[in-house]
Amino acid sequence: MKKSLIVLAICLFAFIDASAQVEYKIVTSIESIVPNGLGRSRIISANDTKDYKEFTTTQTEEDNTRNKSKRDEIRVKGFDETKLLNFYNLGGIRFQNIAANDALITSKINTMIEEGWELAFVNSAVESESGKGDGKGIFITRYIFKRNKQ
């Protein structure tokens, strides 16, 4: 009887482990830090999938060939694009725009959670020239979601 229970327990754990595969999805928000409302701000979410292996080469000292993949093959043409407002307009920084963007990003996150995704990680960064008279840049945030494969 003990052996049967042990075998049953092992089979049960093996089944649970096999069904616990996870998939990830990245949603990116890009908010413009360009004065006078000249920038573009968006939430981007890819619908297409790509296998990175198709576009990867191994570089060695003996064989330093370039990746022969064409950029058009790498590009994803199926994606959702949600417009956001820019941080700046002619009057300077617009806090109302930031609040509006927060509402849209929150809506996207809540929708993803309703679809069974869990927010796993958030990464953000700012890119700017930082030179004399710098007036260009972006604030980028990547929201990494995960869920059990269906």
Side-chain angles (χ1 to χ4, degrees), residues 19-23 116 146-150:
S19 66
Q21 293 182 2
V22 176
E23 65 179 323
K146 70 176 184 176
R147 73 176 174 189
N148 290 334
K149 281 191 175 183
Q150 299 173 348

Side-chain angles (χ1 to χ4, degrees), residues 100-111:
N101 289 357
D102 287 351
L104 290 171
I105 292 167
T106 299
S107 174
K108 178 66 176 178
I109 291 171
N110 287 335
T111 299

Side-chain angles (χ1 to χ4, degrees), residues 12-109:
L12 183 60
F13 285 116
F15 176 74
I16 290 171
D17 188 46
S19 66
Q21 293 182 2
V22 176
E23 65 179 323
Y24 291 88
K25 181 170 179 75
I26 298 174
V27 174
T28 302
S29 66
I30 303 164
E31 297 174 275
S32 175
I33 307 172
V34 176
N36 304 326
L38 297 175
R40 297 185 325 165
S41 299
R42 304 282 190 271
I43 299 172
I44 304 296
S45 177
N47 297 325
D48 294 348
T49 59
K50 294 285 182 175
D51 183 356
Y52 80 94
K53 294 175 188 173
E54 293 179 32
F55 308 101
T56 302
T57 58
T58 301
Q59 305 297 317
T60 63
E61 288 184 36
E62 296 85 28
D63 179 31
N64 196 7
T65 60
R66 298 188 69 155
N67 188 343
K68 294 183 171 64
S69 299
K70 297 178 185 169
R71 289 180 181 252
D72 288 341
E73 294 174 12
I74 296 173
R75 286 194 172 94
V76 171
K77 295 179 180 161
F79 64 94
D80 295 333
E81 178 180 280
T82 305
K83 292 185 179 184
L84 295 174
L85 299 172
N86 297 331
F87 282 169
Y88 289 97
N89 69 5
L90 290 173
I93 192 167
R94 290 287 304 210
F95 296 107
Q96 186 178 27
N97 290 3
I98 294 169
N101 289 357
D102 287 351
L104 290 171
I105 292 167
T106 299
S107 174
K108 178 66 176 178
I109 291 171

